[in-house]
Amino acid sequence: GAVVSQHPSRVICKSGTSVKIECRSLDFQATTMFWYRQFPKQSLMLMATSNEGSKATYEQGVEKDKFLINHASLTLSTLTVTSAHPEDSSFYICSARGADSAEAFFGQGTRLTVV
Amino acid sequence: EDQVTQSPEALRLQEGESSSLNCSYTVSGLRGLFWYRQDPGKGPEFLFTLYSAGEEKEKERLKATLTKKESFLHITAPKPEDSATYLCAVQVFWWNNAGNMLTFGGGTRLMVKP
């Protein structure tokens, strides 16, 4: 399968600071990228969908001013958690899909801890 | 509203004890059904895509099947290294194909004891 690299795998930050998570498709062009959040022992919750070069589409209840998504190229999307609070602590996962492809491939995930 | 339900939530097996995981779905128009494996602290790993009822796919000890209402992931003679959470997800047809996001089930946590 295709390779999606997510970085960092773990990050600890102080309340009020911002954190950027990167998601890269290494061997294919990702026309669509998805960002998920996962709580312990729960399934993936879609936060937003982004298509290269256009604004992300956020799911209901997800604050777009808090979770900034940029998909500036066909191989890179970033999620920035702004003014992080302890309740933002979670496991964030990106996935990427190429044009005309049904399969989406996932990154390794980022464990964010806000202290 | 599209819904995906996986059962059981958790499954304990002895090594070599074959079993099946279920994924029931209710969607407006199925484009594809996907199975993923997720290990703790990792992102989901792609296993299979199924597109139409009657389709089957196999990979090592795993076989995925699809009907119009559900999919099964059959595990034959499992080993401890098969322990993981197995997720199924559905993708539906969109008018513009721009989204086509996946709707995930809750997952089945599989534990295989030696």
Side-chain angles (χ1 to χ4, degrees):
Chain A
V3 180
V4 176
S5 177
Q6 188 173 338
H7 178 81
S9 57
R10 291 177 177 272
V11 59
I12 301 173
C13 71
K14 292 184 178 180
S15 287
T17 63
S18 295
V19 173
K20 180 184 284 189
I21 303 170
E22 290 189 351
C23 181
R24 293 181 184 273
S25 57
L26 298 186
D27 52 1
F28 68 102
Q29 293 187 326
T31 52
T32 307
M33 285 191 171
F34 306 88
W35 287 94
Y36 295 84
R37 185 172 179 174
Q38 188 175 33
F39 293 100
K41 296 188 177 181
Q42 293 189 24
S43 193
L44 283 72
M45 181 184 76
L46 180 66
M47 298 174 66
T49 302
S50 73
N51 292 291
E52 185 265 337
S54 60
K55 290 184 178 180
T57 302
Y58 290 81
E59 294 299 302
Q60 192 172 8
V62 179
E63 298 176 59
K64 57 184 176 183
D65 294 331
K66 180 167 188 61
F67 299 100
L68 302 179
I69 292 172
N70 183 281
H71 190 171
S73 78
L74 285 171
T75 59
L76 174 64
S77 176
T78 60
L79 167 68
T80 301
V81 182
T82 63
S83 187
H85 291 284
E87 56 264 32
D88 298 325
S89 299
S90 192
F91 192 55
Y92 293 88
I93 313 174
C94 72
S95 75
R97 191 181 66 225
D100 301 322
S101 172
E103 289 84 4
F105 298 93
F106 285 81
Q108 306 95 315
T110 297
R111 171 72 59 194
L112 170 64
T113 304
V114 185
V115 297
Chain B
E1 184 180 338
D2 302 327
Q3 287 193 329
V4 183
T5 304
Q6 289 188 247
S7 62
E9 288 187 9
L11 181 61
R12 292 177 183 268
L13 299 174
Q14 286 295 132
E15 184 172 4
E17 180 186 1
S18 301
S19 188
S20 296
L21 282 55
N22 177 265
C23 173
S24 299
Y25 62 91
T26 305
V27 298
S28 51
L30 183 70
R31 185 180 185 219
L33 185 142
F34 305 83
W35 282 98
Y36 290 88
R37 169 191 170 132
Q38 186 177 26
D39 292 299
K42 302 267 183 79
E45 174 191 345
F46 172 76
L47 294 175
F48 304 109
T49 308
L50 301 167
Y51 293 102
S52 57
E55 189 175 359
E56 298 184 354
K57 288 192 177 174
E58 286 188 68
K59 180 181 179 180
E60 295 180 355
R61 294 178 292 280
L62 301 176
K63 183 169 85 171
T65 61
L66 181 66
T67 72
K68 289 186 178 180
K69 294 184 179 181
E70 58 192 350
S71 176
F72 289 95
L73 184 65
H74 307 277
I75 302 178
T76 302
K79 298 182 177 181
E81 53 262 42
D82 295 322
S83 298
T85 295
Y86 290 85
L87 300 166
C88 89
V90 298
Q91 187 181 64
V92 299
F93 285 101
W94 272 60
W95 61 274
N96 64 353
N97 275 346
N100 283 327
M101 70 280 198
L102 299 178
T103 300
F104 280 87
T108 294
R109 290 193 310 280
L110 175 65
M111 293 152 281
V112 183
K113 290 187 174 182

